[in-house]
Amino acid sequence: MLTIALDAELITTFDPRSLLYLFDMIGIVACSISGTILAKHKNFDVFGCLLVSIVTAIGGGTVRDVILDRHPLFWMVDMSYLTVITISSLVMQIFFHPNSIRVDKFLKLSDTIGLSAFTLIGIKVADSMGANVPVALLLGVITIIVGGIIRDMICNEIPLVLQQEIYISAALTGGILYFALRNLGLSAWITDIATMSTIFTLRMLAIRFDWQFPTLQWRY
């Protein structure tokens, strides 16, 4: 269940036995890893890396829930989120070498996994709160981009979503597919997996073949 009404208070945790909870945790781990990789590469200390991983993993979901007035915040109710973030960040700090030539590949892979999972989570949460399709798509995008923007700003990087790479468009394409498949009456798990797979595939193809949006420029 996405939400449970209890004494007129909105409880915002997912059922730990549900597939959606698994997707959420996959996104949390992926974003925690991406934040840790970048912070480690920038030579942050243990607590600096942990801070970056936390804001990367829960920043977007927090902003989404504030907009939707979902309370209490999901990570304040279920401590599994902060526990998983801390463990995954510490493991990466121990075993990942900051000067590895694979830094960029690891960062983009983990970021893509987070993009796939959190876009779906954001859309489903917004949809469960009665948001219309455009708003649900917007909140799905917010769920993934806010944490990444904060991560990149802390690490003195140009935010990925502000560059020419195929990123938000992949999330929007997957979101549109989600509503199309749902309206066709497909089962929830097929719709969810198809949505995440589409986002992941589009993003990875864009990275592999260097697909980019052109910039608008008036020639005179």
Side-chain angles (χ1 to χ4, degrees):
M1 296 178 64
L2 289 177
T3 57
I4 302 174
L6 180 62
D7 294 330
E9 185 176 26
L10 192 61
I11 306 300
T12 59
T13 56
F14 296 113
D15 185 345
R17 298 166 297 180
S18 69
L19 187 61
L20 199 59
Y21 188 80
L22 174 62
F23 291 155
D24 203 19
M25 283 300 168
I26 289 173
I28 288 291
V29 172
C31 287
S32 175
I33 289 174
S34 74
T36 302
I37 289 174
L38 186 56
K40 184 80 171 174
H41 185 61
K42 294 290 184 175
N43 296 317
F44 285 22
D45 63 14
V46 174
F47 294 104
C49 291
L50 184 57
L51 172 63
V52 174
S53 69
I54 289 173
V55 298
T56 305
I58 67 175
T62 299
V63 172
R64 175 203 65 215
D65 285 359
V66 169
I67 292 173
L68 289 170
D69 195 28
R70 294 177 79 228
H71 55 82
L73 296 175
F74 63 97
W75 53 270
M76 293 182 176
V77 177
D78 187 350
M79 291 304 297
S80 297
Y81 288 94
L82 294 180
T83 301
V84 169
I85 292 170
T86 301
I87 293 174
S88 58
S89 178
L90 291 176
V91 169
M92 286 302 297
Q93 291 184 57
I94 293 171
F95 294 104
F96 186 82
H97 195 283
N99 296 321
S100 172
I101 60 174
R102 301 185 181 89
V103 167
D104 189 57
K105 291 182 179 179
F106 275 122
L107 181 60
K108 289 187 175 180
L109 176 60
S110 58
D111 200 63
T112 300
I113 295 172
L115 172 69
S116 307
F118 277 172
T119 299
L120 173 66
I121 294 295
I123 289 173
K124 291 180 76 73
V125 168
D127 187 47
S128 73
M129 298 290 290
N132 56 37
V133 173
V135 172
L137 291 174
L138 175 61
L139 290 172
V141 170
I142 285 176
T143 303
I144 182 59
I145 69 170
V146 171
I149 289 175
I150 297 174
R151 174 200 66 199
D152 293 342
M153 291 177 65
I154 293 175
C155 296
N156 198 29
E157 293 282 330
I158 298 175
L160 184 64
V161 298
L162 301 182
Q163 301 179 40
Q164 294 174 264
E165 298 193 34
I166 305 295
Y167 194 87
I168 293 179
S169 54
L172 291 175
T173 301
I176 293 171
L177 177 66
Y178 168 83
F179 285 106
L181 295 179
R182 194 190 66 172
N183 290 337
L184 289 175
L186 271 67
S187 61
W189 71 271
I190 293 178
T191 300
D192 293 349
I193 292 176
T195 299
M196 291 180 59
S197 299
T198 299
I199 297 171
F200 182 86
T201 302
L202 283 176
R203 175 64 181 149
M204 293 305 294
L205 287 174
I207 293 172
R208 174 64 178 83
F209 296 105
D210 196 26
W211 293 345
Q212 296 183 353
F213 279 116
T215 57
L216 296 177
Q217 183 176 359
W218 175 260
R219 298 184 180 278
Y220 55 91

